[in-house]
Amino acid sequence: MTVLQVLKFPNPVLKRKSALVTQFDAALRELAEAMLETMYVEGGIGLAAVQVGQLKRMIVVDARDGVGEDEAERRNPYFYVNPLILESEGETVSEEGCLSVVEFTADITRAEKVLLEYEDLAGETHQEALEGIKAICVQHEIDHTKGKLFIDHLPLIKRQMVKKRLAKLARSA
Ligand code: NI
């Protein structure tokens, strides 16, 4: 089991754009598995490769929407490579947090439903219609691949305040 270090705000790498994945090889699959393990250890429902310092357009998501008694049984992981939102519909507000943004959550507005196009770990292209928490999570993770954090959705004044506070917190940690 490989657990990777999750970069935290204000690490500048988190602001960088990830590159299209073109090599669907063993290294990509190993990274995907390590990202998933890291996400479980950290208790998250999604993780983008940039959060572990890899500027690749790959995200892992697990809304724990499987069937079972406990958390481990409900695990239902998905790997999305080069994810792209083709269509979005509706609006929904929910409280978001992020493994890269410690001790802060905020209500963020997202599309309610999205049509996602992505490649799997073998490079095959698929489409999937998403709604609920998984749709929200995928939008949050795709933002990461564009160098954007959920706090970047806050109104300007609040965003500046929050970023200042989080940067101070990170310095004193
Ligand atoms: Ni995040």
Side-chain angles (χ1 to χ4, degrees), residues 51 97-100 140-141 144:
Q51 291 180 275
C98 179
L99 296 178
S100 293
H140 175 120
E141 302 311 328
H144 276 299

Side-chain angles (χ1 to χ4, degrees), residues 3-133:
V3 177
L4 305 166
Q5 196 196 342
V6 177
L7 304 181
K8 313 283 187 199
F9 177 88
N11 190 310
V13 174
L14 294 169
K15 289 206 302 206
R16 292 181 58 189
K17 285 187 172 61
S18 296
L20 197 74
V21 173
T22 53
Q23 299 265 82
F24 295 84
D25 54 10
L28 188 73
R29 291 191 295 277
E30 274 167 35
L31 173 62
E33 287 299 334
M35 282 169 59
L36 195 67
E37 290 299 338
T38 303
M39 186 187 80
Y40 287 142
V41 166
E42 300 268 344
I45 60 169
L47 192 71
V50 59
Q51 291 180 275
V52 293
Q54 298 281 328
L55 289 163
K56 295 177 196 296
R57 275 164 55 185
M58 176 161 69
I59 65 175
V60 299
V61 167
D62 189 341
R64 315 294 198 277
D65 54 358
V67 179
E69 289 290 307
D70 57 31
E71 190 268 352
E73 285 179 314
R74 285 195 300 275
R75 284 180 182 178
N76 189 20
Y78 286 81
F79 301 98
Y80 298 120
V81 183
N82 300 324
L84 183 69
I85 291 170
L86 298 179
E87 289 169 30
S88 54
E89 193 189 317
E91 232 179 57
T92 184
V93 179
S94 66
E95 188 180 0
E96 293 187 24
C98 179
L99 296 178
S100 293
V101 180
V102 288
E103 293 175 46
F104 182 76
T105 61
D107 285 340
I108 303 295
T109 305
R110 302 275 184 190
E112 193 179 9
K113 298 177 181 178
V114 296
L115 178 62
L116 184 72
E117 184 169 277
Y118 68 96
E119 286 159 288
D120 62 23
L121 292 170
E124 293 285 324
T125 302
H126 304 269
Q127 284 188 6
E128 188 181 348
L130 300 175
E131 56 182 31
I133 190 161

Side-chain angles (χ1 to χ4, degrees), residues 133-153:
I133 190 161
K134 210 171 147 195
I136 293 164
C137 186
V138 162
Q139 291 171 78
H140 175 120
E141 302 311 328
I142 289 176
D143 271 359
H144 276 299
T145 70
K146 296 172 179 173
K148 198 169 173 182
L149 299 171
F150 78 97
I151 50 178
D152 291 313
H153 286 272

